[in-house]
Amino acid sequence: MKNLAPAISPPRGIGDAKPANEAVLDWVQEIATLTQPENIFWCDGSERESEFLIAESLKQNVLIELNQKKVPHSYLHRSNPTDVARVEQFTFVCTPTKQEAGPTNNWSDPTETYAKLRGLLAGAMRGRTMFVIPYMMGPADSPLAKIGFEITDSKYVVLSLRIMTRMGEIALKRLGNDPSAEWNRGLHSLLDVNPERRFICHFPQDNTIISVGSGYGGNVLLSKKCLALRIGSYLARKQNWMAEHMLILGVESPEGRKHYVAAAFPSACGKTNFAMLIPPAHFKGWKVTTVGDDIAWMQIRNGGLYAVNPENGYFGVVPGTSYKSNSNAMRSIAHDTIYTNVALTDDSDVWWEGKDGEPPAHLIDWRGNDWTPQSQEKAAHPNSRFTTPMRNNPALDPDVEKGEGVPISAIIFGGRRSDTVPLVYQAFDWSHGVYLGATMASETTAAATGAVGRVRRDPMAMLPFCGYNIGDYFQHWLDIGKQLTNPPLIFNVNWFRKSADGKFLWPGFGENIRVLKWIIDRCEGTGGALKSPIGWLPSPHDLDLAELDIDHNAVDELLCLDHEEWQKEIAAHKEFFDSLGGVVPQELQKQREQLAAGFEL
Ligand code: GTP
Ligand code: SPV
Ligand code: MN
């Protein structure tokens, strides 16, 4: 059992930012009565508060100080080795009926689940400090902005949420005093960080999240997957907007024409990297800017979709990040960053697999053990992450704080597929695009516990994040489309197709601009394409491949449709739809039949 940190006593003026809203105060009192903390710490997100909490975290070994010359204001956190990723098997959607949660979510009865959690939480914060964090998701003047409160007994959570959200006064102001205002209740306790007592539970009908037994990222930063996606998607359907697992980027041509695109790739499939793309030399004058790297909230405006990033920071995958692959990410994490589960060098710098340069001769690995290049184990956990404020990003889009959001020209779906799926293709129309999203699949990654590399269907990259019945979610997509007079075009990409000898056929990263340019050309009505049974496919000369070191055969392979593979793929679509037990809208069933017919011609 982990030795949990005892209560802290803040000096005057810190920890007393009590909100005025009676509904919040009542709820906090109720939770304090249940969990019995030594004291309550009302967070305001200020610099002084953060400095105090960092100092306490260093004393209690919750954070490890890094070399302040090499990575200023940055710290390392090691989570429990049994607690290093999202845990889908312990994640629940507790709607009044199982049918509302649908076939893809773990469901448990709300009354029973509240009772079970109350049992686990009774006295859980004895001798410890309970932190109350007010935060806002979305830009201050966005009609989509949402207020949340997270109660937690983890300082790592407080310091991380300060980076990931707009915390403190700004949230309290937006909430105001109306006790009936909409806000999310988030309750987190580490308990004894035991996988047997680890539950991430969502009660969408109560706008409530309760997470116990974990101290890691997405399980405990309740603003992110829990509120912005699971609860968010539930609210979005009720309120006629969209909450999606999508990056948002801006792309500007040398002539100064600018478009925004949103892209849904499953966890650890390239969203952060695409959102921070640095064009290669041949694309001089092209500029990519980041609005968001993980989550998009979109609303209908002027007959189109406008997107905001609800977050204020990035919780990104560390391994593989280098100046070579993504210098924007490297510059973002060079200061004011919390690292989780990376390796530590002898001079207190951070290291991970795939960082520039040779591995050091000696390291302390993510578990705290000695490591040398001869070690069998990885020095950094494959799902080690950085938490860094978005203002650190040199490629931050100037309109990131714009409340109305940015207009989306294209929506892109994509996953890790070694075979079958071409580099890029375009849906015929919105409804066909929804089908592409609904049937997308990806090889699983280290972002969630469980097998890695297994192909699974992950509709719209939302399988682990859709907070209600997936059939209703598909219908919501179709219904939104019917309200758009100027809908984004929909595309599918695959950066991960492999040759027979198991190597990636496409160089990826900055070179992905070549695919992005074709997508923009299509949006502007200039790009060429061939009609295929799966959608509009570029031929090799429709893509700008100048100065790219790639074999002609590789390009052909990347764009080819293998009929046998597609027969299997379409069978897998059917199997997936059938497995959902009758919730899939007729319109999508029809799309599948049309696709199958296309291959029989
Ligand atoms: P989450 O934060 O889990 O949602 O992940 P993400 O979708 O933001 O993925 P991220 O950009 O962090 O990339 C995950 C892994 O994929 C990293 O190891 C990257 O190096 C790798 N990756 C990203 N883009 C590409 C690409 O274009 N090609 C290849 N081969 N790998 C890529
Ligand atoms: C993901 O897994 O998609 C992430 C990381 O972005 S976590 O916040 O842990 O869900
Ligand atoms: Mn993600």
Side-chain angles (χ1 to χ4, degrees):
M1 207 225 287
K2 203 167 158 159
N3 202 2
L4 295 171
I8 52 175
S9 0
R12 253 176 181 287
I14 290 181
D16 54 9
K18 206 167 170 172
N21 194 301
E22 294 286 339
V24 176
L25 296 175
D26 288 350
W27 171 69
V28 171
Q29 194 47 57
E30 181 196 324
I31 303 305
T33 305
L34 174 68
T35 59
Q36 300 280 306
E38 173 85 14
N39 55 356
I40 301 180
F41 187 114
W42 304 90
C43 302
D44 65 4
S46 65
E47 193 68 40
R48 237 188 110 205
E49 173 182 284
S50 160
E51 278 167 17
F52 170 72
L53 290 176
I54 288 169
E56 291 296 313
S57 300
L58 292 171
K59 271 192 246 164
Q60 298 182 343
N61 283 328
V62 170
L63 293 181
I64 295 166
E65 179 138 53
L66 293 171
N67 186 323
Q68 296 295 307
K69 285 209 181 83
K70 296 200 161 167
V71 262
H73 311 294
S74 300
Y75 302 89
L76 169 64
H77 173 75
R78 292 193 190 121
S79 71
N80 188 301
T82 65
D83 184 31
V84 294
R86 282 185 296 103
V87 281
E88 294 178 5
Q89 70 278 30
F90 305 136
T91 300
F92 291 85
V93 172
C94 310
T95 39
T97 65
K98 182 168 169 35
Q99 189 255 335
E100 287 162 89
T104 55
N105 282 309
N106 299 314
W107 175 81
S108 65
D109 175 76
T111 311
E112 283 169 25
T113 311
Y114 275 129
K116 178 177 80 179
L117 291 168
R118 265 198 290 271
L120 289 167
L121 284 160
M125 298 189 190
R126 240 173 234 141
R128 313 196 59 215
T129 296
M130 179 173 111
F131 300 92
V132 185
I133 309 166
Y135 65 91
M136 180 174 67
M137 301 304 282
D141 61 348
S142 171
L144 291 183
K146 298 283 179 204
I147 300 304
F149 281 80
E150 180 164 348
I151 289 178
T152 178
D153 52 9
S154 157
K155 290 180 283 300
Y156 166 74
V157 168
V158 181
L159 291 167
S160 299
L161 272 208
R162 183 168 181 266
I163 296 173
M164 294 303 295
T165 71
R166 295 158 175 90
M167 182 172 153
E169 187 59 31
I170 194 166
L172 295 182
K173 233 166 98 187
R174 168 99 183 194
L175 178 67
N177 294 337
D178 178 359
S180 68
E182 180 195 293
W183 55 279
N184 179 266
R185 293 155 170 77
L187 169 55
H188 164 247
S189 176
L190 293 162
L191 302 186
D192 56 353
V193 199
N194 184 332
E196 285 171 26
R197 282 181 285 282
R198 183 168 299 156
F199 302 103
I200 325 296
C201 300
H202 305 73
F203 304 86
Q205 68 284 0
D206 304 332
N207 207 343
T208 294
I209 305 156
I210 303 179
S211 162
V212 295
S214 171
Y216 170 82
N219 298 336
V220 301
L221 310 178
L222 301 184
S223 60
K224 194 174 176 62
K225 297 310 163 88
C226 300
L227 172 54
L229 286 180
R230 297 196 191 95
I231 300 281
S233 61
Y234 175 94
L235 293 174
R237 174 163 172 259
K238 283 218 311 215
Q239 302 168 351
N240 200 38
W241 52 281
M242 302 175 90
E244 299 298 331
H245 191 198
M246 290 178 179
L247 68 93
I248 310 160
L249 64 79
V251 52
E252 194 176 334
S253 70
E255 299 78 36
R257 283 197 312 280
K258 186 159 185 183
H259 289 271
Y260 289 94
V261 309
F265 308 158
S267 302
C269 290
K271 285 183 300 303
T272 302
N273 277 278
F274 195 40
M276 296 184 178
L277 185 152
I278 296 161
H282 173 64
F283 278 75
K284 195 165 179 290
W286 286 80
K287 214 168 121 192
V288 171
T289 47
T290 318
V291 178
D293 83 321
D294 198 48
I295 299 175
W297 282 357
M298 299 190 286
Q299 59 178 327
I300 302 170
R301 248 174 212 274
N302 311 323
L305 282 178
Y306 280 64
V308 294
N309 172 11
E311 302 190 280
N312 202 23
Y314 310 128
F315 183 58
V317 175
V318 175
T321 307
S322 65
Y323 277 101
K324 194 159 162 275
S325 67
N326 187 344
S327 72
N328 285 328
M330 288 302 283
R331 286 166 63 193
S332 302
I333 63 179
H335 56 98
D336 297 281
T337 295
I338 298 175
Y339 289 89
T340 301
N341 295 337
V342 299
L344 186 66
T345 69
D346 290 346
D347 61 350
S348 296
D349 196 358
V350 278
W351 198 82
W352 53 83
E353 279 72 17
K355 196 180 184 186
D356 307 272
E358 289 301 305
H362 176 260
L363 292 167
I364 303 292
D365 74 9
W366 67 274
R367 297 171 202 257
N369 299 327
D370 285 308
W371 184 96
T372 68
Q374 282 72 46
S375 298
Q376 300 297 310
E377 310 264 341
K378 292 224 184 313
H381 188 277
N383 192 39
S384 52
R385 298 229 168 208
F386 55 76
T387 311
T388 203
M390 70 177 181
R391 64 168 184 275
N392 279 11
N393 179 1
L396 193 65
D397 190 87
D399 283 343
V400 73
E401 294 286 353
K402 206 171 173 176
E404 66 175 49
V406 296
I408 298 298
S409 300
I411 286 175
I412 308 173
F413 296 116
R416 280 180 190 262
R417 293 298 300 271
S418 307
D419 50 42
T420 315
V421 180
L423 178 64
V424 59
Y425 61 102
Q426 182 193 342
F428 296 123
D429 54 27
W430 181 271
S431 162
H432 181 230
V434 175
Y435 180 82
L436 299 191
T439 55
M440 69 187 257
S442 189
E443 290 147 24
T444 48
T445 65
T449 55
V452 168
R454 186 175 57 86
V455 175
R456 72 165 182 182
R457 297 294 135 187
D458 187 348
M460 284 85 171
M462 283 287 277
L463 181 75
F465 308 120
C466 180
Y468 62 101
N469 190 306
I470 198 81
D472 294 335
Y473 171 75
F474 293 159
Q475 189 59 52
H476 182 54
W477 265 83
L478 295 169
D479 292 344
I480 290 277
K482 293 188 178 76
Q483 300 168 67
L484 301 175
T485 49
N486 183 23
L489 302 185
I490 300 182
F491 297 82
N492 196 84
V493 300
N494 178 19
W495 312 144
F496 300 95
R497 198 162 178 171
K498 287 181 178 168
S499 58
D501 61 358
K503 296 212 173 78
F504 288 125
L505 286 162
W506 181 248
F509 300 98
E511 306 296 351
N512 293 336
I513 185 109
R514 298 171 190 271
V515 172
L516 185 56
K517 177 175 183 296
W518 181 75
I519 289 173
I520 298 308
D521 289 346
R522 295 295 294 169
C523 293
E524 294 186 342
T526 57
L530 300 167
K531 197 166 185 182
S532 87
I534 66 168
W536 295 102
L537 263 177
S539 69
H541 63 257
D542 294 321
L543 296 174
D544 183 345
L545 299 175
E547 292 174 30
L548 179 65
D549 184 17
I550 188 170
D551 210 274
H552 278 296
N553 293 334
V555 177
D556 290 342
E557 259 186 84
L558 277 161
L559 295 173
C560 84
L561 288 188
D562 181 307
H563 280 230
E564 232 168 78
E565 283 181 347
W566 271 92
Q567 296 291 0
K568 278 195 210 144
E569 180 71 12
I570 295 165
H573 293 181
K574 178 163 190 318
E575 198 183 312
F576 177 57
F577 278 4
D578 289 349
S579 77
L580 299 179
V583 304
V584 177
Q586 269 310 311
E587 200 169 333
L588 296 186
Q589 299 284 10
K590 246 186 4 228
Q591 287 288 343
R592 195 190 54 75
E593 284 158 25
Q594 277 168 18
L595 172 64
F599 278 94
E600 279 154 20
L601 295 178

